[in-house]
Amino acid sequence: MQKVLVVDDEEVLRMLITDTLEDLENVEIHTAENGLEALARLSADHYDLMILDYMMPEMTGIEVLGQLSVDMKSTLPILMLTAKAQEVDRNRAIVAGARYFMPKPFSPIELLQIVEGILSDNG
Amino acid sequence: MTMANQAKHSIKKRYFRIIFSVFALIICSGTVFFIYIQNEQSSLSHKREVMENKADTINELASTLKEVFFRARGYTSLKSDNELKLLNVALLNLDGVLSTYSKLQLTAEEIQFNEQLSAFYVQYKSVILPTAIALVEADDYAGLRALSQKGSTQSVNDFLAYTKEFKQRADNALNVMDRDSIKQAANFTLIAFMFSIVILLFFTIMVWRILKSLIDPILRLEGATHSLAAGEGVLLDKLKKQDEIGRLYEAFHNMARSIQDKEEELMMQNEELHAQQDELQDQQSRLQHSLTEIESMMKALDHSAAVGILTHKGVFTYANENLSGYTKYKKSEIIGYTYRLFELSNFSSTDMQQIFHRLNTGGVWSNEVQLLAKDGTLLWLQLSIVPYLNDEGEIYQYILIANDITSMKSVQQELAETLKHTEQTKMMLELNNQLNHDISYTLDKQEFADKFLHFMNRFYAFDSSFFLLVKDKITAVKGIPQAKVDRYLENDNDDMLYRLQMEKTYKIKRQATQSEQGISAEDVYCYDFYTTVVNAENEILAVFCGSRIGHSFTGEEINEIEGMMNRAALAIERIFIYEEIEHGRMLNRDIVNNINEGIQFVHTDGTMLHVNKALCEIFNYYDWTEGTLIPKEKWKEHFIETSNESAELRLFYQKAMSEHTMDSSSMQYSIGTEYLKHIDVYAIPVYRRETRIGTLFVHRDITREYELDLMKSELVSTVSHELRTPLSSVLGFTELLLSRTMKPEKQLKYLETIHKEAKRLTDLINDFLDLQRMESGKQQYNSEHANLSEIVLGVMDQYKLSSTHQVLLVDEAHHSEVAVDKDKIIQVLTNLLSNAIKFSPDSHEVRVHLHNEADRVIVRIQDSGLGIPQDQIGQLFQKFGRIDNSASKRIGGTGLGLAISKEIIEKQQGTIGIDSVEGEGTTVWFSLPNLHAEENPQEDDLNKWGTDKDNKLNVMIVEDDYSLSLLLSEELKGKGFRVTHHYHPEQAFEQALKTPYVAIVVDLMLGEELDGWDLIRMLKDDSRTESIPIIISSALDPTDKDLMTVVQKYLTKPYPPGELSSTLTEIVKIRQGTGEVLFPGNH
């Protein structure tokens, strides 16, 4: 059973992502509504993928990445979802340690395919 | 010389030392002698004792030996045993004596004797005696004789002889010894005597020497004293001694010297006296000589000068020829008359007093006097008066000497006049110079005019004058009232100008006016002179007019004045040019200084020539004053260090100022740490006639543009983010719906979400556009008169059906008339109310409060919700400035509501603000200007309750029709009540528990669940609220008879509002009168 952590402050988007990924077999989906909760979950459990929103109150996605250890970043694939779709933001996310990047609005089908790809690579 | 030294060298001390040493010497040598003699005597007596002892022992030996032989012979002859016994005893004694002897100090001879004796003794005892005894026993006398023949008897006799001899020798020795000791004693006495003589001799010598050293100088001193007394010179060597004599010597020496000095001084004084005597004699002879001289001089004086003698009372007793010659009075006319005969015309009576005073005190008085001769001519005399004093010091006569100096005096006067003239000419020249200087250096027109006029007045003695600079109407005036000048300037002065245009100079002779005439009895004429100052184009620059009373103008003067005018023309033109330049310069400076951009002009060598105010402010640099040059190092380092991009700015300056740079360049830098100033600077090389003269730098503060730019890009980024989030949901769920098959419930849920998000998107876009429109000033506000209470009630009406929150209005505003755009205010209220509801999820009440403060109506919307952190309140009114945390995110909203509200309120002269405590709740308030603030509050009976804000009486209206509610509340507020509005029975009841109401007005038809009757029941069933009077306001006729008993008043709609207020007034009056509220049911 593989585990995916979805971190987004918008409840609607969390629902959209979990619903999109619910068809995947042997995948368990957890959600966190802010950076602190995400960090708590990451330290408590092992995850195979984190889908992280960029713009969140209190702690941005980049800040969450800053809190993660180098070890964690090298093993955990991170997919950054963001409404800030400029090149600068993309680069910033990659530098901070995100391996994948998707601008909002995104296509759920495309997201599903990417997540499937990542998880099968891991498996 | 110190005291110690003195003591060391003192005679007393020396004498004492000598005595002491002699005494010590005697004691020492005496002691040594005594010890020595004592020693010698003791050794002598010892020797003597030894000798005597030895002699005694020898004697004893001899007697013992005799005894032995006596006993032996006795025995041999008597053969008696007793004799034998005694023999043995004698032998024993001999033995003892021998041993004693051997122990003594013995000479060699004696030792030998001792040994022989001992040997004989042993022989005798051991051999001879036993043999003799045996022979006795045997009575063999022959044997005995033979035995004695053998020598034993002989040796005994020898021994005895020896002892005898020895005794004699010992006695002799003793005698010798005695003699020796006596001799020795005699020797000692001699030595002691000699020694004493030596000591005495030494002592005598010492004493003699001391005496010598004492007496010699005393003798010399005596000699010196004698010679001093004889008055001869005292020549004493300096004594090198420091003892008492030495000091005496010194003191004497000093005394002698001072006596000699005094003597010399006396001698000198004496000589001086002699010289003085000589001089006196000399003087006497000279005095006599001069007396004769004086006599001859007197004669000469008599010839050359006038001489008169007056008594001490001033009566002439003598006058010589000259005196009568000068004064033309005969001698007889003078003598016998007082000095008053001659009148001194150049002295006043006070001067005379002084002269008398001087003379009376014995002083000589001399001066030039002018007096009137008998024939009436004026005389100038050099007059000297000498008072003569008698022995008592009293004046007994005066001598008067006078010389005629009339001719000299007239020459002198002529000379003085010439001098005065020269002085005047000099002054004129100086004035001319001054004028030249003034008009060449004065750059101010008024100053020039004043100076010029002043000069003209001094130079040409105008009594009144006037100088006008035509173009600027600047005047300089002397002797003319200002009012007159003003009148002239205001009215047309064309007449004069016209004439002056034709005729450059003219003069007028006229009758003097009354004031000019002054006290003069005759007719006086005045001469006015008019002239102009013209430039090269013959334009009149200035006009000069001057009047002289009684003096006309000579041709020469007119020419001179015209010349002056030409000079003035040059000066005025120069001032015009200067002013033009100055004006241009000031204009330039004002432009440069008032421009927002910082401007800096730098010479090619790096020196800063000019910097304007704006640049100084940018760099905080105030070292520059106009006209100074600032070296490169001074300004450049300051500028570069001030900026945050020092290296870049340095490079920019370097490049821009380089001679090879032909084009203009620019860069941006920032200044400051906390509040960054962004500056854009561009440099332009400046050329003058093909030559590069420097570089112009223009620094422009672009902080605002920079920040706007930043804000704009941030806004774009935020807006795009805000738009993308709902878009993501819409697109995402749509795609899911399209690509998947799912249950209808889920489809519905997705569609609902899509709808909600799309709506959110629309709201966002609408709000954003609204705000854009408002901010760009395109929003139109349709201001109309409205009642704010009514608007609030209207908005509240929309929330009546809210299931979660109840909105309560506390209306205290007497005047709520405002001029606003009603729709916009409704938008604000809706926004604020929905915010209050959204952000207080755990509370059920939102309170709206209306009251007046000064000339404003204030609306407060108060919730007890999440609250806002203190540091974030400020940013709430910014776009998308909602509190950024998870809780607020869940609640949602566009984040533009407050920004829009602020915009609307501020556009209508209102203010808006937020007070909040995090976790306790938030109050958003806004105030609007009240239209009827100036109206006096209604004077009413009940107004006394309404005056004090805190003591207002509360009335609750429970009514779901807001227009009626409003109507009632307006009426009640007018009477000074504080009105609380409710429309929900349950919440109204809860409110009644909290606030003491004077009465509650209840509508019977309320909601669907509970009606007015339910509320009344609740109130009456509770002990806390049962005493509150209740007034029913209903469209229905009273039905429930039971409850009617507890109701104070039943008003059937429609009824005039005055009926309600009068009912309430009644209730209050009853309460005030009795202290309690009366209820109908209690009767």
Side-chain angles (χ1 to χ4, degrees):
Chain A
M1 191 68 106
Q2 287 183 308
K3 284 181 192 161
V4 175
L5 180 62
V6 176
V7 189
D8 201 307
D9 57 317
E10 295 278 348
E11 199 192 338
V12 195
L13 285 178
R14 282 202 301 277
M15 185 176 95
L16 176 64
I17 297 165
T18 42
D19 282 10
T20 305
L21 302 181
E22 77 184 352
D23 286 359
L24 290 170
E25 279 174 24
N26 280 331
V27 171
E28 205 173 291
I29 297 161
H30 294 174
T31 59
E33 66 169 273
N34 58 45
L36 283 175
E37 205 186 319
L39 287 173
R41 281 189 173 277
L42 281 175
S43 64
D45 216 337
H46 168 82
Y47 286 98
D48 299 285
L49 172 67
M50 172 159 72
I51 298 171
L52 184 63
D53 185 24
Y54 189 107
M55 284 283 276
M56 287 188 293
E58 288 157 356
M59 201 175 193
T60 67
I62 296 288
E63 281 166 343
V64 173
L65 290 180
Q67 294 282 313
L68 292 179
S69 68
V70 181
D71 240 26
M72 174 81 90
K73 279 191 270 191
S74 65
T75 53
L76 173 70
I78 296 157
L79 170 65
M80 195 78 135
L81 270 181
T82 177
K84 286 198 163 195
Q86 281 156 0
E87 194 68 22
V88 193
D89 305 310
R90 187 194 177 93
N91 289 342
R92 208 176 286 162
I94 301 295
V95 167
R99 259 184 252 171
Y100 309 93
F101 187 87
M102 268 188 98
K104 286 182 188 175
F106 56 91
S107 147
I109 307 302
E110 214 178 306
L111 178 72
L112 185 66
Q113 284 165 357
I114 291 174
V115 171
E116 267 184 317
I118 296 168
L119 291 180
S120 65
D121 278 359
N122 276 9
Chain B
M1 199 186 293
T2 61
M3 282 302 286
N5 254 342
Q6 267 188 20
K8 213 166 90 188
H9 295 291
S10 134
I11 292 170
K12 208 163 87 186
K13 273 276 155 72
R14 271 160 62 191
Y15 185 73
F16 179 73
R17 272 209 303 274
I18 288 164
I19 294 288
F20 180 76
S21 55
V22 168
F23 186 71
L25 201 59
I26 289 169
I27 296 280
C28 285
S29 47
T31 315
V32 168
F33 252 128
F34 178 76
I35 292 167
Y36 180 68
I37 290 168
Q38 202 73 18
N39 241 351
E40 282 296 297
Q41 265 178 1
S42 75
S43 80
L44 212 65
S45 71
H46 183 68
K47 260 184 196 167
R48 203 188 163 98
E49 210 173 315
V50 168
M51 199 68 91
E52 274 172 3
N53 202 8
K54 219 181 244 175
D56 284 352
T57 316
I58 297 283
N59 275 348
E60 209 181 331
L61 198 65
S63 72
T64 322
L65 212 54
K66 267 182 199 161
E67 173 98 18
V68 167
F69 282 98
F70 178 76
R71 290 308 162 187
R73 273 177 198 138
Y75 176 64
T76 50
S77 54
L78 299 171
K79 211 177 148 186
S80 153
D81 287 344
N82 193 33
E83 287 297 315
L84 190 61
K85 262 188 218 166
L86 285 170
L87 176 66
N88 282 336
V89 169
L91 272 173
L92 273 171
N93 275 344
L94 183 66
D95 197 24
V97 172
L98 266 175
S99 67
T100 313
Y101 185 69
S102 65
K103 276 173 195 160
L104 290 170
Q105 223 174 1
L106 298 173
T107 61
E109 190 193 357
E110 282 163 353
I111 290 168
Q112 199 189 349
F113 169 73
N114 189 27
E115 272 167 6
Q116 280 170 4
L117 198 64
S118 298
F120 169 79
Y121 169 73
V122 171
Q123 177 80 21
Y124 185 82
K125 199 183 169 185
S126 56
V127 179
I128 299 166
L129 198 61
T131 320
I133 292 168
L135 287 170
V136 170
E137 292 287 325
D139 290 325
D140 186 357
Y141 287 93
L144 268 172
R145 257 172 265 130
L147 191 66
S148 60
Q149 292 295 289
K150 270 173 132 176
S152 60
T153 313
Q154 186 57 47
S155 53
V156 167
N157 287 336
D158 286 348
F159 281 128
L160 286 173
Y162 174 78
T163 52
K164 204 171 167 186
E165 188 197 39
F166 183 83
K167 197 174 179 238
Q168 213 158 11
R169 239 175 24 202
D171 283 343
N172 282 343
L174 277 172
N175 284 337
V176 168
M177 216 178 275
D178 279 344
R179 259 197 323 271
D180 277 356
S181 71
I182 288 165
K183 210 168 151 189
Q184 207 174 12
N187 279 345
F188 280 143
T189 314
L190 190 67
I191 287 165
F193 176 71
M194 293 302 278
F195 182 68
S196 305
I197 284 172
V198 168
I199 284 175
L200 208 60
L201 205 62
F202 170 72
F203 186 67
T204 313
I205 288 166
M206 290 307 291
V207 167
W208 182 74
R209 271 194 61 190
I210 288 168
L211 282 177
K212 194 164 177 275
S213 70
L214 273 177
I215 286 163
D216 273 4
I218 288 173
L219 279 177
R220 264 190 283 165
L221 202 58
E222 193 190 6
T225 320
H226 281 305
S227 65
L228 181 66
E232 290 160 21
V234 179
L235 289 167
L236 267 177
D237 312 329
K238 185 90 176 149
L239 209 62
K240 296 237 167 43
K241 277 180 163 183
Q242 283 137 4
D243 55 20
E244 291 90 336
I245 303 274
R247 293 204 295 278
L248 184 61
Y249 236 70
E250 213 168 306
F252 177 77
H253 217 258
N254 288 342
M255 187 185 81
R257 210 179 295 141
S258 79
I259 288 172
Q260 278 174 339
D261 286 350
K262 286 247 174 68
E263 207 169 348
E264 270 168 33
E265 208 177 306
L266 275 170
M267 290 283 280
M268 268 163 64
Q269 279 176 356
N270 206 13
E271 271 168 32
E272 216 172 299
L273 274 171
H274 277 293
Q276 277 174 0
Q277 204 175 0
D278 289 348
E279 210 177 313
L280 269 173
Q281 278 174 346
D282 197 35
Q283 275 176 355
Q284 203 176 1
S285 69
R286 266 188 289 165
L287 212 63
Q288 271 175 343
H289 181 71
S290 52
L291 254 174
T292 53
E293 252 176 44
I294 286 170
E295 269 170 29
S296 55
M297 266 161 66
M298 274 302 282
K299 272 180 198 160
L301 187 71
D302 218 15
H303 283 293
S304 63
V307 179
I309 299 174
L310 294 102
T311 63
H312 68 284
K313 288 194 171 157
V315 180
F316 278 102
T317 54
Y318 170 81
N320 72 350
E321 294 295 334
N322 281 340
L323 187 61
S324 65
Y326 291 163
T327 58
K328 306 287 190 285
Y329 284 101
K330 284 180 194 154
K331 262 190 187 175
S332 56
E333 282 174 319
I334 298 170
I335 294 166
Y337 288 92
T338 64
Y339 62 91
R340 289 185 199 278
L341 184 68
F342 307 118
E343 200 179 313
L344 304 185
S345 56
N346 60 336
F347 285 94
S348 68
S349 58
T350 47
D351 290 336
M352 294 296 277
Q353 292 284 330
Q354 278 178 357
I355 295 166
F356 292 141
H357 180 75
R358 184 170 171 78
L359 289 172
N360 287 339
T361 50
V364 176
W365 181 80
S366 179
N367 212 331
E368 287 175 357
V369 301
Q370 194 179 33
L371 59 82
L372 204 66
K374 198 186 173 189
D375 58 359
T377 52
L378 274 169
L379 281 179
W380 272 102
L381 294 176
Q382 171 66 47
L383 180 70
S384 300
I385 300 171
V386 187
Y388 275 71
L389 302 163
N390 59 13
D391 292 344
E392 283 86 47
E394 288 167 355
I395 296 163
Y396 67 92
Q397 67 175 23
Y398 298 98
I399 291 186
L400 177 151
I401 302 160
N403 278 311
D404 189 357
I405 51 162
T406 313
S407 56
M408 193 185 82
K409 205 68 192 173
S410 65
V411 172
Q412 212 174 17
Q413 264 170 358
E414 267 170 42
L415 207 70
E417 255 165 50
T418 321
L419 211 69
K420 209 170 127 192
H421 193 71
T422 321
E423 197 70 21
Q424 268 177 352
T425 319
K426 192 181 145 202
M427 205 177 73
M428 291 263 191
L429 276 171
E430 273 174 7
L431 274 173
N432 239 317
N433 264 341
Q434 184 68 37
L435 178 74
N436 274 337
H437 181 270
D438 285 349
I439 62 180
S440 1
Y441 288 98
T442 307
L443 294 170
D444 182 72
K445 284 178 189 162
Q446 183 66 54
E447 199 186 333
F448 168 77
D450 288 341
K451 278 184 173 167
F452 185 71
L453 191 79
H454 179 69
F455 171 81
M456 292 300 283
N457 289 336
R458 280 192 71 181
F459 220 95
Y460 299 104
F462 287 107
D463 292 300
S464 55
S465 55
F466 170 73
F467 187 62
L468 165 73
L469 291 168
V470 178
K471 210 156 124 194
D472 303 280
K473 293 215 169 174
I474 286 170
T475 54
V477 174
K478 185 209 167 185
I480 304 168
Q482 190 60 38
K484 223 169 171 178
V485 176
D486 291 342
R487 206 172 59 215
Y488 172 74
L489 288 177
E490 278 162 27
N491 296 341
D492 269 351
N493 46 30
D494 288 347
D495 285 354
M496 183 184 74
L497 284 178
Y498 179 74
R499 185 169 172 187
L500 282 170
Q501 209 103 58
M502 303 289 105
E503 205 175 341
K504 204 179 163 197
T505 304
Y506 63 87
K507 59 178 181 178
I508 296 170
K509 185 185 175 183
R510 59 176 169 88
Q511 184 100 40
T513 63
Q514 206 164 13
S515 62
E516 283 164 341
Q517 175 100 22
I519 55 163
S520 175
E522 294 162 29
D523 280 350
V524 172
Y525 289 97
C526 279
Y527 301 88
D528 293 344
F529 185 82
Y530 291 83
T531 186
T532 52
V533 178
V534 294
N535 65 4
E537 285 83 44
N538 223 27
E539 241 177 291
I540 296 177
L541 298 177
V543 173
F544 174 84
C545 347
S547 306
R548 287 208 303 219
I549 303 169
H551 298 279
S552 185
F553 300 91
T554 63
E556 201 185 332
E557 273 178 330
I558 291 170
N559 277 342
E560 262 182 41
I561 292 172
E562 280 176 354
M564 282 294 169
M565 293 305 135
N566 288 338
R567 277 163 70 179
L570 285 174
I572 292 170
E573 291 230 288
R574 205 174 47 77
I575 293 174
F576 280 154
I577 292 167
Y578 167 78
E579 280 192 345
E580 232 163 82
I581 295 169
E582 183 64 13
H583 178 73
R585 200 180 63 83
M586 295 286 274
L587 194 67
N588 275 336
R589 199 185 65 183
D590 289 348
I591 290 171
V592 168
N593 269 347
N594 288 300
I595 221 161
N596 276 336
E597 280 74 27
I599 293 173
Q600 182 192 9
F601 184 76
V602 180
H603 203 264
T604 36
D605 65 1
T607 323
M608 185 158 74
L609 292 173
H610 199 100
V611 56
N612 73 343
K613 224 159 76 186
L615 192 68
C616 290
E617 269 156 25
I618 289 176
F619 282 108
N620 230 349
Y621 186 80
Y622 298 104
D623 282 358
W624 188 78
T625 47
E626 208 172 324
T628 54
L629 302 176
I630 300 174
K632 189 176 175 179
E633 313 79 54
K634 253 179 125 180
W635 65 266
K636 205 172 143 189
E637 283 314 306
H638 177 85
F639 284 15
I640 287 169
E641 290 309 317
T642 309
S643 85
N644 294 330
E645 290 82 19
S646 301
E648 290 91 332
L649 190 62
R650 189 187 296 279
L651 200 70
F652 174 75
Y653 267 125
Q654 216 165 354
K655 262 191 170 170
M657 278 154 59
S658 145
E659 281 187 49
H660 310 294
T661 311
M662 311 285 276
D663 304 321
S664 55
S665 50
S666 72
M667 76 162 278
Q668 283 183 11
Y669 62 89
S670 64
I671 285 177
T673 47
E674 218 166 302
Y675 301 102
L676 277 181
K677 252 193 265 179
H678 295 273
I679 314 280
D680 177 88
V681 54
Y682 65 91
I684 311 155
V686 180
Y687 293 89
R688 188 180 287 164
R689 295 193 195 98
E690 308 283 305
T691 323
R692 171 90 178 260
I693 54 160
T695 316
L696 182 72
F697 292 94
V698 180
H699 302 250
R700 200 161 61 89
D701 190 338
I702 52 157
T703 313
R704 219 184 120 64
E705 288 95 318
Y706 187 89
E707 277 173 1
L708 273 176
D709 220 40
L710 212 67
M711 264 167 67
K712 206 177 272 174
S713 67
E714 254 172 39
L715 190 68
V716 167
S717 151
T718 315
V719 169
S720 86
H721 173 258
E722 295 286 332
L723 293 176
R724 274 165 201 270
T725 304
L727 257 176
S728 298
S729 310
V730 172
L731 285 174
F733 285 113
T734 320
E735 200 173 315
L736 284 182
L737 278 172
L738 288 173
S739 60
R740 287 184 186 173
T741 49
M742 56 186 80
K743 290 180 198 158
E745 300 92 68
K746 198 156 198 180
Q747 281 179 357
L748 189 67
K749 187 185 164 197
Y750 280 10
L751 283 171
E752 272 171 0
T753 309
I754 290 166
H755 181 248
K756 207 173 87 191
E757 289 298 300
K759 203 171 164 305
R760 179 173 153 195
L761 202 57
T762 317
D763 285 350
L764 195 66
I765 290 164
N766 282 343
D767 276 0
F768 191 67
L769 290 178
D770 263 5
L771 195 63
Q772 277 303 104
R773 196 170 55 235
M774 285 170 186
E775 281 186 343
S776 63
K778 283 175 195 151
Q779 180 65 48
Q780 295 284 317
Y781 291 94
N782 304 314
S783 199
E784 57 183 314
H785 284 212
N787 188 324
L788 201 57
S789 296
E790 190 184 330
I791 299 174
V792 171
L793 276 170
V795 174
M796 276 169 63
D797 202 42
Q798 295 170 9
Y799 290 89
K800 216 187 280 179
L801 298 173
S802 161
S803 55
T804 54
H805 287 71
Q806 210 244 326
V807 183
L808 160 75
L809 171 71
V810 181
D811 193 350
E812 274 182 81
H814 286 280
H815 309 288
S816 48
E817 289 294 315
V818 287
V820 290
D821 186 324
K822 219 167 154 183
D823 291 343
K824 291 280 178 279
I825 294 297
I826 289 171
Q827 190 183 348
V828 171
L829 279 168
T830 311
N831 198 336
L832 297 182
L833 271 174
S834 64
N835 270 352
I837 290 170
K838 268 197 288 189
F839 290 99
S840 57
D842 303 325
S843 149
H844 302 290
E845 186 185 274
V846 173
R847 222 174 233 266
V848 182
H849 197 271
L850 245 88
H851 69 276
N852 287 116
E853 206 165 272
D855 55 348
R856 304 183 84 80
V857 196
I858 295 166
V859 181
R860 305 169 69 86
I861 292 131
Q862 186 184 351
D863 69 56
S864 39
L866 304 170
I868 302 152
Q870 198 63 34
D871 56 331
Q872 291 180 27
I873 290 178
Q875 71 187 52
L876 284 175
F877 290 110
Q878 290 166 13
K879 288 180 273 286
F880 303 109
R882 73 184 144 202
I883 302 312
D884 218 3
N885 59 37
S886 306
S888 63
K889 199 83 188 185
R890 256 199 313 275
I891 291 158
T894 60
L896 292 169
L898 278 175
I900 291 168
S901 301
K902 184 179 163 73
E903 191 66 33
I904 290 171
I905 293 293
E906 285 181 356
K907 280 276 147 52
Q908 314 201 48
Q909 291 81 48
T911 48
I912 188 164
I914 294 182
D915 305 318
S916 181
V917 177
E918 195 177 3
E920 286 182 23
T922 307
T923 303
V924 185
W925 56 265
F926 65 86
S927 76
L928 289 166
N930 191 346
L931 277 183
H932 300 294
E934 68 279 2
E935 277 180 20
N936 287 331
Q938 281 176 302
E939 292 299 327
D940 209 293
D941 282 352
L942 276 168
N943 243 15
K944 54 193 166 192
W945 303 315
T947 47
D948 191 351
K949 198 182 165 195
D950 294 329
N951 286 338
K952 271 190 178 177
L953 296 172
N954 287 300
V955 175
M956 176 151 67
I957 300 176
V958 189
E959 169 71 73
D960 71 342
D961 179 353
Y962 84 88
S963 57
L964 186 62
S965 196
L966 181 74
L967 191 71
L968 295 179
S969 96
E970 286 302 299
E971 168 69 19
L972 293 182
K973 276 195 290 174
K975 298 287 177 197
F977 291 102
R978 182 191 284 137
V979 184
T980 309
H981 294 272
H982 263 283
Y983 44 82
H984 200 282
E986 222 159 55
Q987 279 151 357
F989 171 66
E990 272 166 33
Q991 187 65 40
L993 292 179
K994 287 186 233 163
T995 318
Y997 288 104
V998 75
I1000 297 173
V1001 182
V1002 183
D1003 178 19
L1004 291 179
M1005 296 280 285
L1006 287 173
E1008 285 163 8
E1009 293 162 25
L1010 294 165
D1011 64 8
W1013 289 121
D1014 295 318
L1015 174 62
I1016 294 165
R1017 218 169 277 121
M1018 278 189 279
L1019 289 169
K1020 289 299 159 191
D1021 286 350
D1022 197 300
S1023 61
R1024 290 166 291 180
T1025 53
E1026 64 177 3
S1027 59
I1028 302 173
I1030 289 165
I1031 300 163
I1032 292 175
S1033 148
S1034 175
L1036 304 172
D1037 283 328
T1039 48
D1040 196 327
K1041 297 289 172 200
D1042 293 342
L1043 272 172
M1044 278 306 291
T1045 53
V1046 296
V1047 171
Q1048 180 81 3
K1049 183 92 181 172
Y1050 196 107
L1051 297 170
T1052 310
K1053 291 178 193 172
Y1055 54 87
E1059 206 173 328
L1060 174 64
S1061 63
S1062 61
T1063 307
L1064 277 169
T1065 310
E1066 221 168 277
I1067 291 171
V1068 171
K1069 272 183 183 159
I1070 291 164
R1071 213 168 82 154
Q1072 280 196 325
T1074 62
E1076 62 172 308
V1077 182
L1078 297 173
F1079 293 96
N1082 292 359
H1083 291 288

